[in-house]
Amino acid sequence: MDKDKIHQLRQEVYTHLTEELLPFWTTRCIDQHNGGYITHFDQHGHDTGEDEKSLIAQTRCLYTFASAHRAGYGNGELADLARHGADYLLERMWDPEHAGFYWMTNRRGEVLIDEKIVYGHSFAIYALSEYTLATGDQRGIDYAGKVFDLLQRNATDTHYGGYFEMFHRDWTLKGPGPAGGDRKTLDVHMHLMEAYTTLYVCTGQEVHRRKLLEVIELLVRKIMHPQYGTGIPQFRPDWQVAPQIKFDIIWGWDRFTEDGVKHEAEDNTSYGHNAEFAWLLIHALEVLGISYSTYKDQLIKSFNHAADNGVDWEFGGVFVEGSHAGAVYDREKEFWQQAEVLIGFLDAYRFLGDEKFARAYENVHRFVFDKMILHHIGEWWPLMNREGTGPIWTHMSHSWKINYHTVRSMIQVVKRLDGLL
Amino acid sequence: MDKDKIHQLRQEVYTHLTEELLPFWTTRCIDQHNGGYITHFDQHGHDTGEDEKSLIAQTRCLYTFASAHRAGYGNGELADLARHGADYLLERMWDPEHAGFYWMTNRRGEVLIDEKIVYGHSFAIYALSEYTLATGDQRGIDYAGKVFDLLQRNATDTHYGGYFEMFHRDWTLKGPGPAGGDRKTLDVHMHLMEAYTTLYVCTGQEVHRRKLLEVIELLVRKIMHPQYGTGIPQFRPDWQVAPQIKFDIIWGWDRFTEDGVKHEAEDNTSYGHNAEFAWLLIHALEVLGISYSTYKDQLIKSFNHAADNGVDWEFGGVFVEGSHAGAVYDREKEFWQQAEVLIGFLDAYRFLGDEKFARAYENVHRFVFDKMILHHIGEWWPLMNREGTGPIWTHMSHSWKINYHTVRSMIQVVKRLDGLL
């Protein structure tokens, strides 16, 4: 990419971030009455009134404000918004009896689902560590450390390694199948890598470093496909591949057949997840002071799979899912995969120097800016048809779509494009 | 065995336990001046004056008094002696800054070795849980639970499973080789099984049960020889067998060549350890409410290896060590292997009904009672020549030989012989 092009793309991203995206959130998501964040908005940016506050939406929104403040945006206002969210999280969602965070409250803070879900706790560590880094408020890292300790005590599998993921309120393991107690997922282990990275930045503790290294090794050696290096969504406790099923507790709107099983349940990978994994791994390695080359083969496979198979050269953007060998199964365009490949392709370009990744970045960038962003509203369509001519889902936000992917992507893209200038 | 024989053996054990062994300890091991236990006695039962208190000797002695009290011995006196030891352990050996117990103090309680060794912590869990079960003093289980949590946080390997074992004072992992940071051992994992069993009896907590089940599976699937079912002493973190080396921090007087490597470093197993493992596994299964038959093959292999290869039919007793296939390497007679096979052979007899185990029991019983016990002193020779005509080592107690094996063996043997009547 030439410097003029980089500069132009950077300005486009910066303008969207500062004039559209952050204002969308700063102007409407504070719940002044009950504390915490309002996280349900329709395509007009209007509060839909849905009466729930999910652990992941609250923590992701906290992460968003904290990280944007730490990245230099908002003139201090974002730190206040972060503190507002931290107050709710720590005062209303923490279980004082069994420790850990409830999965869901209503807007008033009454507990709707008291289960302890590791996916949500990974975001609690991530957000609370970032919050202390951003604001200096010691409560963040105190609770992030507590959650880390809780996971080590209650969630690790000391036989096969890795973490169990679904627990009752008192941290007893849930049952098998849709209850999720006998499954291990790419999702959880990847987000633990992300969370432990920021935790370690904040604490410098050897045990946080060690557990980060362990989860990286698990991801690379067990969770990535042995041939293709692509993410395998679900496993049995002994790391045998499990058919991808729908859990009772979900953290995304994923497409399953009516019996709760995926089409292609055992040969399914997400281009966006693979690119996200790779850039998160690069970030972790930078924090750890370990050379990229240690995991070079893995990184090349992750990035190539997304760029070679996932990019839609006809209509732009990145597809939802496909096979480990590459063939596309689902050609629609979902917001978070676009957000993550933007960062990933820039890291691939920076790391591998192949113009292919610059072209892939520009392709997705244009799809996002020309078709997916509702510029007059400020946020992104959640899911569009392949052509990008219209939305399939229309909400701007709900419990499973908030600002974490979009804002983080724009912050990280600005940083990377600046680095290329 | 006929009932008369069982009754006669039982009385012999009971008399030794109540008139010789327990009195040896109750009359001399209380450190009235400094608190805790004096644990160094020569062949005359005289205090040798060695100025150290080791974590394992203090915890094992605490276990001994607590378990003997809970088994109905001592008319209450043993509970007082247990409390005396718990006071020292909790007040002088606990590290208030980094948590966990120091490895070694002098008699006055000044720290000599501040490292955190998982082997010692497994005995802390075992002894403190037993102490609460015996006395109701809540401090025991509070600290046992704290140590359990500490191990989950700092010692588990979330990549390959199992536990790392050797840490600095602040729980950073020690280096490789003799420092032990890159080794996993049968010893530690077996004693964690033993400790978690009693912890679970005391708490009934699901997480304690789950981690007990995990360590059992690790022992059976990874640590026992895949063909012979015998214990492999040392492993790399990824469970590849490691040659048996001497660690900087030791918990026994083991024979190594001058370069710190065992003869037959990669084909070495202990008859006594295998029998101990098997009876501890049976006890764990009873506590868990799981049928013996779940691990029947394993139990048969463990017991048969000891009975078929380890028993000295010429001079009596059980040999120290041999190969996984069975051949004997070391024909001397050490105290703790005798103590453990006595329990193990009775469990094998109870479980498998094979008279071979009754004969093996009687063989070792006679060797112990006729040759190894110094009846006029009260304790056992630590190591004898094969013939049992004289001791090789002569101490009655030091940091690595205390009353845990001998007293536990006598208590458990009385219980099992009573069960056969």
Side-chain angles (χ1 to χ4, degrees), chain A residues 289-363:
Chain A
I290 294 173
S291 164
Y292 300 155
S293 61
T294 311
Y295 295 101
K296 189 172 178 183
D297 288 350
Q298 174 61 59
L299 293 168
I300 288 172
K301 284 179 177 179
S302 302
F303 286 131
N304 277 345
H305 187 271
D308 295 344
N309 306 292
V311 175
D312 184 348
W313 292 103
E314 191 174 350
F315 296 102
V318 70
F319 299 122
V320 170
E321 290 173 342
S323 75
H324 293 289
V328 184
Y329 296 147
D330 184 340
R331 293 179 186 273
E332 292 169 355
K333 308 290 163 58
E334 197 171 354
F335 78 105
W336 67 264
Q337 290 95 333
Q338 317 304 318
E340 297 305 328
V341 300
L342 287 175
I343 310 171
F345 287 153
L346 286 180
D347 267 7
Y349 182 58
R350 174 165 72 111
F351 174 54
L352 301 169
D354 186 337
E355 286 292 330
K356 168 175 80 178
F357 296 111
R359 288 193 299 273
Y361 171 81
E362 277 196 69
N363 171 304

Side-chain angles (χ1 to χ4, degrees), chain A residues 190-207:
Chain A
M190 188 185 85
H191 288 294
L192 286 174
M193 171 176 79
E194 174 189 57
Y196 291 177
T197 301
T198 302
L199 177 67
Y200 178 59
V201 170
C202 193
T203 69
Q205 279 190 34
E206 191 258 4
V207 69

Side-chain angles (χ1 to χ4, degrees), chain A residues 140-160:
Chain A
I141 198 60
D142 287 351
Y143 276 84
K146 274 191 209 190
V147 173
F148 173 86
D149 293 357
L150 269 175
L151 295 186
Q152 304 315 309
R153 178 183 195 270
N154 295 296
T156 62
D157 178 352
T158 60
H159 178 203
Y160 292 113

Side-chain angles (χ1 to χ4, degrees), chain B residues 289-309:
Chain B
I290 293 173
S291 164
Y292 300 156
S293 62
T294 311
Y295 295 101
K296 188 171 180 185
D297 288 350
Q298 174 62 57
L299 292 167
I300 288 173
K301 285 179 177 178
S302 302
F303 287 131
N304 276 345
H305 187 270
D308 295 343
N309 306 290

Side-chain angles (χ1 to χ4, degrees), chain B residues 30 68 74-75 100 108 184 202 257 260 312 377 391 395 414 416 418 421:
Chain B
I30 295 298
N75 294 313
R108 294 185 303 287
K184 295 173 179 169
C202 193
T257 58
D312 185 347
I377 298 293
H395 56 277
V414 167
R416 280 160 179 73
D418 280 343
L421 282 172

Side-chain angles (χ1 to χ4, degrees), chain A residues 30-275:
Chain A
I30 296 298
D31 185 339
Q32 296 290 2
H33 187 63
N34 301 297
Y37 305 120
I38 293 168
T39 59
H40 292 78
F41 300 103
D42 67 15
Q43 62 184 305
H44 308 293
H46 298 146
D47 180 357
T48 64
E50 200 158 342
D51 194 17
E52 60 183 38
K53 284 176 173 158
S54 72
L55 177 57
I56 65 170
Q58 296 299 311
T59 53
R60 285 173 164 188
C61 196
L62 169 59
Y63 173 84
T64 294
F65 289 136
S67 65
H69 174 73
R70 187 154 77 103
Y73 297 93
N75 294 313
E77 176 201 17
L78 299 174
D80 295 336
L81 300 184
R83 184 181 301 268
H84 176 87
D87 289 345
Y88 183 85
L89 185 66
L90 301 181
E91 291 163 17
R92 307 308 297 267
M93 299 197 84
W94 181 260
D95 177 355
E97 187 177 344
H98 295 285
F101 291 105
Y102 302 117
W103 179 244
M104 186 82 78
T105 66
N106 64 16
R107 289 198 181 187
R108 294 185 304 287
E110 293 158 348
V111 179
L112 300 179
I113 301 175
D114 63 9
E115 296 185 332
K116 304 291 166 64
I117 309 300
V118 174
Y119 189 82
H121 286 80
S122 75
F123 279 97
I125 294 173
Y126 189 48
L128 289 164
S129 302
E130 183 72 31
Y131 172 64
T132 293
L133 287 166
T135 66
D137 182 345
Q138 193 64 25
R139 289 181 305 160
I141 198 60
D142 287 351
Y143 276 84
K146 274 191 209 190
V147 173
F148 173 86
D149 293 357
L150 269 175
L151 295 186
Q152 304 315 309
R153 178 183 195 270
N154 295 296
T156 62
D157 178 352
T158 60
H159 178 203
Y160 292 113
Y163 296 78
F164 293 107
E165 305 184 358
M166 306 279 202
F167 295 86
H168 296 289
R169 181 183 168 193
D170 65 357
W171 291 97
T172 58
L173 188 60
K174 290 180 68 178
D182 67 344
R183 289 294 194 285
K184 295 174 179 168
T185 68
L186 162 62
D187 242 8
V188 160
H189 290 77
M190 188 185 85
H191 288 294
L192 286 174
M193 171 176 79
E194 174 189 57
Y196 291 177
T197 301
T198 302
L199 177 67
Y200 178 59
V201 170
C202 193
T203 69
Q205 279 190 34
E206 191 258 4
V207 69
H208 296 154
R209 178 186 179 88
R210 182 151 40 87
K211 301 284 176 169
L212 170 56
L213 285 164
E214 288 170 9
V215 81
I216 288 172
E217 281 288 296
L218 267 179
L219 283 156
V220 173
R221 312 289 171 209
K222 304 263 197 203
I223 294 177
M224 295 299 141
H225 192 286
Q227 179 180 357
Y228 298 110
T230 41
I232 298 170
Q234 295 182 14
F235 296 83
R236 310 277 183 195
D238 65 357
W239 299 107
Q240 295 299 304
V241 175
Q244 203 180 346
I245 57 168
K246 187 174 181 181
F247 296 124
D248 299 336
I249 293 279
I250 56 164
W251 45 76
W253 278 6
D254 224 341
R255 265 77 51 90
F256 288 89
T257 57
E258 280 190 8
D259 58 359
V261 175
K262 272 259 179 197
H263 286 297
E264 312 291 347
E266 295 187 62
D267 180 19
N268 193 48
T269 192
S270 156
Y271 309 107
H273 232 154
N274 291 324

